[in-house]
PDB file of all heavy atoms in Angstrom:
ATOM      1  N   THR A 118       1.958  27.775   3.581  1.00 97.00           N
ATOM      2  CA  THR A 118       0.528  27.554   3.373  1.00 97.00           C
ATOM      3  C   THR A 118       0.270  26.194   2.739  1.00 97.00           C
ATOM      4  O   THR A 118      -0.648  25.469   3.137  1.00 97.00           O
ATOM      5  CB  THR A 118      -0.055  28.668   2.483  1.00 97.00           C
ATOM      6  OG1 THR A 118       0.205  29.933   3.084  1.00 97.00           O
ATOM      7  CG2 THR A 118      -1.564  28.489   2.300  1.00 97.00           C
ATOM      8  N   ASP A 119       1.079  25.835   1.744  1.00 94.00           N
ATOM      9  CA  ASP A 119       0.887  24.556   1.046  1.00 94.00           C
ATOM     10  C   ASP A 119       1.005  23.373   2.000  1.00 94.00           C
ATOM     11  O   ASP A 119       0.238  22.413   1.915  1.00 94.00           O
ATOM     12  CB  ASP A 119       1.921  24.406  -0.083  1.00 94.00           C
ATOM     13  CG  ASP A 119       1.600  25.282  -1.285  1.00 94.00           C
ATOM     14  OD1 ASP A 119       0.419  25.612  -1.475  1.00 94.00           O
ATOM     15  OD2 ASP A 119       2.536  25.638  -2.027  1.00 94.00           O
ATOM     16  N   VAL A 120       1.973  23.435   2.907  1.00 95.00           N
ATOM     17  CA  VAL A 120       2.160  22.330   3.850  1.00 95.00           C
ATOM     18  C   VAL A 120       1.003  22.279   4.847  1.00 95.00           C
ATOM     19  O   VAL A 120       0.346  21.246   5.009  1.00 95.00           O
ATOM     20  CB  VAL A 120       3.499  22.464   4.612  1.00 95.00           C
ATOM     21  CG1 VAL A 120       3.601  21.370   5.678  1.00 95.00           C
ATOM     22  CG2 VAL A 120       4.672  22.354   3.653  1.00 95.00           C
ATOM     23  N   ILE A 121       0.745  23.389   5.509  1.00 97.00           N
ATOM     24  CA  ILE A 121      -0.249  23.409   6.587  1.00 97.00           C
ATOM     25  C   ILE A 121      -1.650  23.108   6.067  1.00 97.00           C
ATOM     26  O   ILE A 121      -2.388  22.297   6.660  1.00 97.00           O
ATOM     27  CB  ILE A 121      -0.217  24.769   7.306  1.00 97.00           C
ATOM     28  CG1 ILE A 121       1.090  24.923   8.095  1.00 97.00           C
ATOM     29  CG2 ILE A 121      -1.428  24.919   8.251  1.00 97.00           C
ATOM     30  CD1 ILE A 121       1.323  26.311   8.660  1.00 97.00           C
ATOM     31  N   CYS A 122      -2.034  23.728   4.968  1.00 96.00           N
ATOM     32  CA  CYS A 122      -3.421  23.630   4.500  1.00 96.00           C
ATOM     33  C   CYS A 122      -3.701  22.372   3.685  1.00 96.00           C
ATOM     34  O   CYS A 122      -4.820  22.194   3.191  1.00 96.00           O
ATOM     35  CB  CYS A 122      -3.781  24.870   3.686  1.00 96.00           C
ATOM     36  SG  CYS A 122      -3.808  26.385   4.678  1.00 96.00           S
ATOM     37  N   SER A 123      -2.702  21.496   3.546  1.00 93.00           N
ATOM     38  CA  SER A 123      -2.935  20.227   2.850  1.00 93.00           C
ATOM     39  C   SER A 123      -2.738  19.040   3.789  1.00 93.00           C
ATOM     40  O   SER A 123      -2.519  17.920   3.346  1.00 93.00           O
ATOM     41  CB  SER A 123      -1.990  20.098   1.645  1.00 93.00           C
ATOM     42  OG  SER A 123      -0.639  20.074   2.052  1.00 93.00           O
ATOM     43  N   ARG A 124      -2.850  19.298   5.094  1.00 94.00           N
ATOM     44  CA  ARG A 124      -2.684  18.235   6.068  1.00 94.00           C
ATOM     45  C   ARG A 124      -3.970  18.047   6.873  1.00 94.00           C
ATOM     46  O   ARG A 124      -4.713  18.987   7.130  1.00 94.00           O
ATOM     47  CB  ARG A 124      -1.509  18.545   7.018  1.00 94.00           C
ATOM     48  CG  ARG A 124      -0.152  18.589   6.319  1.00 94.00           C
ATOM     49  CD  ARG A 124       0.162  17.269   5.658  1.00 94.00           C
ATOM     50  NE  ARG A 124       1.478  17.230   5.039  1.00 94.00           N
ATOM     51  CZ  ARG A 124       1.693  17.284   3.725  1.00 94.00           C
ATOM     52  NH1 ARG A 124       0.667  17.405   2.896  1.00 94.00           N
ATOM     53  NH2 ARG A 124       2.915  17.205   3.237  1.00 94.00           N
ATOM     54  N   THR A 125      -4.219  16.808   7.288  1.00 94.00           N
ATOM     55  CA  THR A 125      -5.407  16.484   8.075  1.00 94.00           C
ATOM     56  C   THR A 125      -5.193  16.938   9.523  1.00 94.00           C
ATOM     57  O   THR A 125      -4.052  17.182   9.949  1.00 94.00           O
ATOM     58  CB  THR A 125      -5.664  14.969   8.062  1.00 94.00           C
ATOM     59  OG1 THR A 125      -4.589  14.313   8.767  1.00 94.00           O
ATOM     60  CG2 THR A 125      -5.751  14.436   6.641  1.00 94.00           C
ATOM     61  N   GLN A 128      -2.662  14.705  11.199  1.00 95.00           N
ATOM     62  CA  GLN A 128      -1.300  14.982  10.739  1.00 95.00           C
ATOM     63  C   GLN A 128      -0.765  16.269  11.357  1.00 95.00           C
ATOM     64  O   GLN A 128       0.411  16.350  11.726  1.00 95.00           O
ATOM     65  CB  GLN A 128      -1.275  15.077   9.214  1.00 95.00           C
ATOM     66  CG  GLN A 128      -1.471  13.739   8.508  1.00 95.00           C
ATOM     67  CD  GLN A 128      -1.670  13.880   7.022  1.00 95.00           C
ATOM     68  OE1 GLN A 128      -2.159  14.901   6.515  1.00 95.00           O
ATOM     69  NE2 GLN A 128      -1.298  12.844   6.282  1.00 95.00           N
ATOM     70  N   THR A 240      -6.202  26.879  -1.286  1.00 97.00           N
ATOM     71  CA  THR A 240      -5.434  25.651  -1.047  1.00 97.00           C
ATOM     72  C   THR A 240      -6.279  24.644  -0.279  1.00 97.00           C
ATOM     73  O   THR A 240      -6.319  23.458  -0.626  1.00 97.00           O
ATOM     74  CB  THR A 240      -4.146  25.965  -0.266  1.00 97.00           C
ATOM     75  OG1 THR A 240      -3.332  26.853  -1.045  1.00 97.00           O
ATOM     76  CG2 THR A 240      -3.357  24.691   0.023  1.00 97.00           C
ATOM     77  N   PHE A 244      -7.566  21.138  -1.982  1.00 94.00           N
ATOM     78  CA  PHE A 244      -7.167  19.878  -1.360  1.00 94.00           C
ATOM     79  C   PHE A 244      -8.391  19.032  -1.027  1.00 94.00           C
ATOM     80  O   PHE A 244      -8.356  17.813  -1.126  1.00 94.00           O
ATOM     81  CB  PHE A 244      -6.338  20.141  -0.098  1.00 94.00           C
ATOM     82  CG  PHE A 244      -5.731  18.896   0.483  1.00 94.00           C
ATOM     83  CD1 PHE A 244      -4.672  18.261  -0.137  1.00 94.00           C
ATOM     84  CD2 PHE A 244      -6.252  18.338   1.636  1.00 94.00           C
ATOM     85  CE1 PHE A 244      -4.128  17.097   0.386  1.00 94.00           C
ATOM     86  CE2 PHE A 244      -5.714  17.174   2.166  1.00 94.00           C
ATOM     87  CZ  PHE A 244      -4.644  16.557   1.544  1.00 94.00           C
ATOM     88  N   PHE A 252      -1.975  18.790  -6.291  1.00 96.00           N
ATOM     89  CA  PHE A 252      -0.523  18.616  -6.306  1.00 96.00           C
ATOM     90  C   PHE A 252       0.027  18.573  -7.732  1.00 96.00           C
ATOM     91  O   PHE A 252       1.148  19.032  -7.982  1.00 96.00           O
ATOM     92  CB  PHE A 252      -0.130  17.361  -5.531  1.00 96.00           C
ATOM     93  CG  PHE A 252      -0.230  17.514  -4.048  1.00 96.00           C
ATOM     94  CD1 PHE A 252      -1.108  16.742  -3.304  1.00 96.00           C
ATOM     95  CD2 PHE A 252       0.552  18.441  -3.379  1.00 96.00           C
ATOM     96  CE1 PHE A 252      -1.217  16.892  -1.928  1.00 96.00           C
ATOM     97  CE2 PHE A 252       0.460  18.607  -1.999  1.00 96.00           C
ATOM     98  CZ  PHE A 252      -0.423  17.821  -1.278  1.00 96.00           C
ATOM     99  N   TRP A 272       9.750  18.882  -2.175  1.00 95.00           N
ATOM    100  CA  TRP A 272       8.785  18.721  -1.084  1.00 95.00           C
ATOM    101  C   TRP A 272       7.627  17.823  -1.484  1.00 95.00           C
ATOM    102  O   TRP A 272       7.267  16.893  -0.751  1.00 95.00           O
ATOM    103  CB  TRP A 272       8.252  20.090  -0.644  1.00 95.00           C
ATOM    104  CG  TRP A 272       7.028  19.987   0.204  1.00 95.00           C
ATOM    105  CD1 TRP A 272       6.936  19.432   1.440  1.00 95.00           C
ATOM    106  CD2 TRP A 272       5.703  20.391  -0.157  1.00 95.00           C
ATOM    107  NE1 TRP A 272       5.629  19.488   1.888  1.00 95.00           N
ATOM    108  CE2 TRP A 272       4.866  20.065   0.931  1.00 95.00           C
ATOM    109  CE3 TRP A 272       5.151  21.018  -1.271  1.00 95.00           C
ATOM    110  CZ2 TRP A 272       3.495  20.333   0.915  1.00 95.00           C
ATOM    111  CZ3 TRP A 272       3.793  21.285  -1.283  1.00 95.00           C
ATOM    112  CH2 TRP A 272       2.985  20.942  -0.200  1.00 95.00           C
ATOM    113  N   ARG A 277       4.836  12.938  -0.881  1.00 96.00           N
ATOM    114  CA  ARG A 277       3.661  12.242  -1.422  1.00 96.00           C
ATOM    115  C   ARG A 277       3.993  10.900  -2.052  1.00 96.00           C
ATOM    116  O   ARG A 277       3.075  10.146  -2.412  1.00 96.00           O
ATOM    117  CB  ARG A 277       2.941  13.109  -2.465  1.00 96.00           C
ATOM    118  CG  ARG A 277       2.592  14.517  -2.035  1.00 96.00           C
ATOM    119  CD  ARG A 277       1.863  14.612  -0.728  1.00 96.00           C
ATOM    120  NE  ARG A 277       0.539  14.028  -0.728  1.00 96.00           N
ATOM    121  CZ  ARG A 277      -0.330  14.158   0.262  1.00 96.00           C
ATOM    122  NH1 ARG A 277       0.002  14.855   1.344  1.00 96.00           N
ATOM    123  NH2 ARG A 277      -1.516  13.567   0.202  1.00 96.00           N
TER     124      ARG A 277
END
Side-chain angles (χ1 to χ4, degrees):
T118 303
D119 285 335
V120 175
I121 291 171
C122 294
S123 63
R124 295 300 183 254
T125 67
Q128 289 171 332
T240 299
F244 188 72
F252 285 117
W272 165 65
R277 308 309 294 189

